Amino acid sequence: RGRSAGRARAQITATARGGNRRLDLVAEAPTAAFGAPVAVPTRRGFSDSPGCVEAHGASVRATLRERCAPAEGGKGGWRVVGEL
């Protein structure tokens, strides 16, 4: 998870068995969209320190990629086959 220029971002990448397909999920939200800390379970009961925060107004982008065959003398790459 990263934050820059007033935005927070989280990215998850999952690769299919065999390594030929990949799904990238990216969630972003302005830091101003995050609310107060939410209590989470700990060994000593619920606490908001450490806790977590929720964003109200995040966007999520999903990109499905498929591995391309290597070009002559080069490496293979990824091509986009679907995007939401």
Side-chain angles (χ1 to χ4, degrees):
R1 180 173 97 170
R3 290 185 184 204
S4 65
R7 296 190 66 77
R9 173 185 168 134
Q11 180 171 341
I12 299 171
T13 299
T15 304
R17 187 174 293 167
N20 291 326
R21 291 195 176 158
R22 184 176 87 192
L23 176 65
D24 296 318
L25 298 173
V26 178
E28 286 188 298
T31 53
F34 287 86
V38 176
V40 297
T42 68
R43 290 182 182 195
R44 295 187 177 139
F46 282 83
S47 173
D48 63 358
S49 178
C52 66
V53 291
E54 297 175 325
H56 306 281
S59 64
V60 177
R61 185 177 69 245
T63 306
L64 179 62
R65 301 174 193 275
E66 191 171 69
R67 190 175 296 278
C68 298
E72 188 174 326
K75 292 184 177 180
W78 295 95
R79 70 179 179 96
V80 174
V81 294
E83 212 165 23
L84 295 174

